[in-house]
Amino acid sequence: MTQARLPRRRFLTRSAVAATGMFAMPSILRAAPARQELHVAAIGVNGMGWSDLSNVGSHASVKFVGFCDIDAARFDKADAAFVGVPHFADYRQLLADLGAKVDAVIVSTPDHMHAPIAMAAMKLGKHVYCQKPLTHTVWESRQMRLLATQKKLTTQMGNQIHSNAEYRQGVRLIQEGVIGKVREVHSWVGVQGRQHCNRTDRPADAPIPKGVNWDLWLGAAPVREFAADVYHPFKWRDWQDFGSGALGDFGCHILDPVFTALEIQAPISIEAANGGTTSEVWPGPETVTFEFPGTKYTLGSTIKVIWRDGGLKPPAELAQLPAGVDLPGAGSLFIGEGGVMVLPHVASPLLYPQEKYADMKLPDVKGTSHWHDWVDAVISGQKTTDGFEYAGPLSETVQLGNIAARLPGTKLQWNTETMAITGHDSAAAMLTKSYRPGFEVEAVV
Ligand SMILES: NC(=O)c1ccc[n+]([C@@H]2O[C@H](COP(=O)([O-])OP(=O)(O)OC[C@H]3O[C@@H](n4cnc5c(N)ncnc54)[C@H](O)[C@@H]3O)[C@@H](O)[C@H]2O)c1
């Protein structure tokens, strides 16, 4: 399918212009290699935003036309690397003021603002690179996917390890049947809620630092008082109103090669176990069991993918590890008919039992830059492998896990066609949320 194109004027490469003889050019420009310029705006320019914009900006065709951050003190790195780019505090102002000067937008804000910002940009026809998890709710992930498809935009979720050689090797081994059809997958990460686990209160307020626009930081979320060293920066991820807990933080990374390798898309049931949760923060150690319809890479009509975080790991004996070897701190364990594959987060896959795979050479698979892949795809009007058509269902799954996490011990039945959690009204209500006026996300019709 042809994707939305950049404005034609930016497609005229220097060599193409020279060839048409449209106007005389200095010889230095005539000799220069063909270039196409992509005008990018970055929203959230520090933390992961810095990593995103510096990687996107290292592409020779990228020119930044706007930087947006709600914290005036956090532009320093971006400004030092890309001099003279206009600043904005409010993404709505950036989009309104820059208009057609922007071709593409990077969204690297806390999770609760991904959808309001990315949907506003996509409505205007901008291509989007958006951090993981794609969105804060299941419904938002569905809308992001629908709008990207409807507008024929080139999109990419920011789970950059998707494009690493190690994850691609793991995918290749599974799809080549090296361990046979897959019977079950276990995925895990060590982290849990970083410091606010099991908290029920909201910390006392504190003066808002000069330069921080707390109202814009809250954005779509219900108003609450500012508190120092609790939300902004980074620590928001523990709080249900803003972040998505350990599962949201790492699920879109670690479950990504599971989704790609097995070609699974939407679970049919989800059940969580944890030590209890509060209405404010995400739970501590948890296990979430997802059941998916089987695919040509799996054994049986359904397959279980079992997620653990907060220090929980699958039983090591499932991996048939050699003596003295332990499971890595994070990763996935694929249990196949003929052997097992451990795919650490992030390192090359390991195959067991060791004797069986001793002579096995890992496939020579190259990694690429996830950020440059997106830029190249935007310029050439192609799709990426991690566009919202793929990333939407992955993020929906992660956020379904977070609904289950709030109702531990309840097996939820999910119908992806009708977007319904059947027979459980309070779970169904968590598929979406309400928005503060001015930051709404509209349904795609
Ligand atoms: N892919 C990865 O490996 C990876 C790693 C870390 C974080 N992340 C993701 O990146 C995103 C940001 O996480 P972080 O840890 O960098 O958070 P952070 O709080 O450290 O940084 C967010 C930045 O965005 C700014 N910001 C906040 N709200 C904004 C708004 N409404 N408009 C404009 N700017 C705003 C903040 O001032 C800050 O500079 C999250 O979605 C997170 O899940 C991804």
Side-chain angles (χ1 to χ4, degrees):
M1 187 196 296
T2 311
Q3 303 280 287
R5 295 253 165 205
L6 294 176
R8 181 160 169 71
R9 70 191 152 80
R10 280 187 224 131
F11 263 90
L12 293 177
T13 64
R14 288 175 182 178
S15 54
V17 171
T20 59
M22 282 165 69
F23 53 83
M25 301 178 82
S27 58
I28 180 87
L29 287 187
R30 278 204 302 275
R35 277 176 64 95
Q36 297 164 341
E37 206 166 72
L38 183 71
H39 289 184
V40 180
I43 302 177
V45 299
N46 214 311
M48 194 60 198
W50 162 244
S51 174
D52 287 338
L53 77 86
S54 55
N55 277 288
V56 166
S58 68
H59 193 294
S61 299
V62 166
K63 179 180 178 205
F64 285 112
V65 292
F67 286 153
C68 175
D69 204 293
I70 58 82
D71 187 341
R74 289 174 70 84
F75 286 97
D76 49 350
K77 282 189 276 188
D79 282 348
F82 302 95
V83 178
V85 179
H87 287 187
F88 296 83
D90 188 332
Y91 68 96
R92 298 166 300 186
Q93 196 71 47
L94 178 149
L95 292 171
D97 286 5
L98 297 180
K101 286 187 197 138
V102 182
D103 302 316
V105 172
I106 306 170
V107 182
S108 310
T109 63
D111 305 351
H112 70 291
M113 286 305 289
H114 289 182
I117 298 171
M119 292 290 281
M122 289 197 291
K123 265 177 88 174
L124 297 171
K126 316 297 178 197
H127 305 277
V128 170
Y129 184 102
C130 182
Q131 261 311 322
K132 57 82 213 161
L134 192 57
T135 64
H136 197 214
T137 71
V138 176
W139 180 82
E140 287 177 341
S141 286
R142 185 64 63 98
Q143 304 315 303
M144 293 268 273
R145 168 185 168 189
L146 291 173
L147 192 58
T149 306
Q150 191 182 84
K151 294 266 187 186
K152 300 188 169 72
L153 296 168
T154 300
T155 53
Q156 182 95 302
M157 182 163 71
N159 50 336
Q160 67 280 359
I161 300 143
H162 177 89
S163 300
N164 275 33
E166 295 87 351
Y167 270 14
R168 288 179 176 175
Q169 279 178 323
V171 168
R172 264 276 284 279
L173 291 174
I174 294 297
Q175 295 199 335
E176 285 176 355
V178 168
I179 62 165
K181 287 193 188 267
V182 178
R183 180 192 313 279
E184 193 167 272
V185 181
H186 296 259
S187 298
W188 68 99
V189 69
V191 302
Q192 61 181 43
R194 313 270 173 141
Q195 48 263 306
H196 302 299
C197 233
N198 300 327
R199 193 160 190 159
T200 50
D201 63 321
R202 289 187 182 181
D205 57 326
I208 299 170
K210 197 165 168 289
V212 171
N213 189 323
W214 180 240
D215 189 65
L216 287 176
W217 189 93
L218 285 170
V223 172
R224 69 171 70 190
E225 296 296 328
F226 177 83
D229 202 29
V230 172
Y231 307 114
H232 166 71
F234 190 83
K235 293 183 178 171
W236 47 266
R237 50 211 344 111
D238 296 342
W239 297 85
Q240 290 184 16
D241 271 359
F242 314 118
S244 312
L247 174 56
D249 223 359
F250 285 90
C252 287
H253 284 306
I254 295 172
L255 296 175
D256 164 50
V258 181
F259 267 59
T260 308
L262 301 181
E263 294 182 358
I264 52 177
Q265 287 197 340
I268 47 180
S269 75
I270 313 103
E271 183 170 2
N274 56 47
T277 186
T278 78
S279 58
E280 290 291 337
V281 293
W282 295 106
E286 64 180 341
T287 303
V288 184
T289 303
F290 301 95
E291 194 181 10
F292 293 87
T295 69
K296 63 181 173 187
Y297 299 110
T298 69
L299 205 60
S301 59
T302 60
I303 178 157
K304 278 188 182 160
V305 177
I306 300 150
W307 170 267
R308 294 176 177 85
D309 60 49
L312 302 176
K313 283 184 178 180
E317 58 271 21
L318 289 177
Q320 305 180 48
L321 300 168
V325 175
D326 198 4
L327 288 169
S332 291
L333 164 62
F334 294 75
I335 302 174
E337 324 165 83
V340 304
M341 183 181 86
V342 174
L343 184 56
H345 178 74
V346 178
S348 290
L350 303 157
L351 294 161
Y352 301 114
Q354 211 170 28
E355 319 76 72
K356 180 169 177 180
Y357 296 104
D359 298 327
M360 170 100 200
K361 224 174 141 274
L362 289 179
D364 183 18
V365 179
K366 299 274 179 283
T368 54
S369 160
H370 201 58
W371 299 270
H372 286 200
D373 287 352
W374 172 66
V375 173
D376 288 336
V378 172
I379 289 172
S380 60
Q382 304 294 311
K383 284 181 184 293
T384 58
T385 54
D386 200 7
F388 298 170
E389 295 84 353
Y390 166 84
L394 172 55
S395 284
E396 282 187 21
T397 300
V398 161
Q399 295 300 9
L400 282 165
N402 270 340
I403 294 177
R406 283 177 273 178
L407 299 161
T410 308
K411 188 168 180 173
L412 304 175
Q413 310 290 335
W414 172 240
N415 182 330
T416 186
E417 298 302 325
T418 57
M419 271 203 82
I421 294 176
T422 37
H424 202 300
D425 290 347
S426 51
M430 295 178 199
L431 291 167
T432 188
K433 63 181 185 183
S434 48
Y435 297 86
R436 211 148 62 92
F439 302 94
E440 295 92 343
V441 174
E442 285 171 20
V444 178
V445 285

